[in-house]
Amino acid sequence: MSNTSGGITHYILAIDLAETVKISLADLGAPPSANFIAYDYFASCPTGGGACSLKNVQHLSASVPLMLNATKKEEQVTSGRGDAISFQYWVVAETWANGWTPIGQGDKFVPMSKQRVTAIAAITGGLSVSLVGAANEEVVMYGVLPNGDFVGGTVTIPASGQVTVHCIGTEQSNVKCQ
């Protein structure tokens, strides 16, 4: 779990599921009023880089748990010992009261790392996100808008190593970040 100044993101690794498993908000320690978006990490972000696009998305609420399906034979990976194993890795990101869901660096196993994202705050019509990194480092950040659109953009870290970005918008075509 990442808890970044009010934003909570959970990471779920499931190995060799023989049957479907339901994970409720209570299992995540979240209040019944919370909402989350869960996505299949490996289906959404290609290994080795490239743009992310959310796939196998599930919207979670008090009445709708995350459903982790039993693993299919074609999803199995062969281990170094020759054993067939299967796994799923889900990222579960909290939806804020204004409808925005910060995803973070989609190509990282921990997209909302405390070492990168130091603060998040809801602002009118969007989110304010504070980031740290090396001078001139380019960081690609993602989020989901209230209408369900998936958006992403590149932020260049200034010489100070810290930047706060304010993103506002209601749909992919009108999101502005500065």
Side-chain angles (χ1 to χ4, degrees), residues 31-90:
S33 60
N35 289 290
F36 288 82
I37 290 177
Y39 67 94
D40 180 340
Y41 176 86
F42 291 111
S44 300
C45 296
T47 55
C52 297
S53 62
L54 293 186
K55 296 203 170 59
N56 299 341
V57 174
Q58 297 184 39
H59 296 270
L60 313 182
S61 66
S63 60
V64 181
L66 173 62
M67 303 296 288
L68 301 180
N69 294 320
T71 312
K72 300 175 186 144
K73 186 168 180 73
E74 59 270 13
E75 296 171 334
Q76 293 181 335
V77 177
T78 304
S79 73
R81 296 186 318 251
D83 302 325
I85 58 171
S86 55
F87 60 95
Q88 302 173 49
Y89 182 57
W90 288 82

Side-chain angles (χ1 to χ4, degrees), residues 77-141:
V77 177
T78 304
S79 73
R81 296 186 318 251
D83 302 325
I85 58 171
S86 55
F87 60 95
Q88 302 173 49
Y89 182 57
W90 288 82
V91 178
V92 184
E94 184 177 16
T95 300
W96 288 64
N98 65 3
W100 278 65
T101 306
I103 299 298
Q105 288 182 270
D107 63 337
K108 303 292 184 188
F109 282 118
V110 180
M112 291 296 289
S113 166
K114 290 185 221 180
Q115 285 74 30
R116 173 71 71 199
V117 181
T118 58
I120 303 173
I123 57 176
T124 303
L127 291 176
S128 174
V129 181
S130 296
L131 307 170
V132 296
N136 300 315
E137 181 180 7
E138 291 187 346
V139 178
V140 180
M141 299 295 289

Side-chain angles (χ1 to χ4, degrees), residues 2-9 94 96 102 112 120:
S2 296
N3 187 342
T4 310
S5 295
I8 297 174
T9 304
E94 184 177 16
W96 288 64
M112 291 296 289
I120 303 173

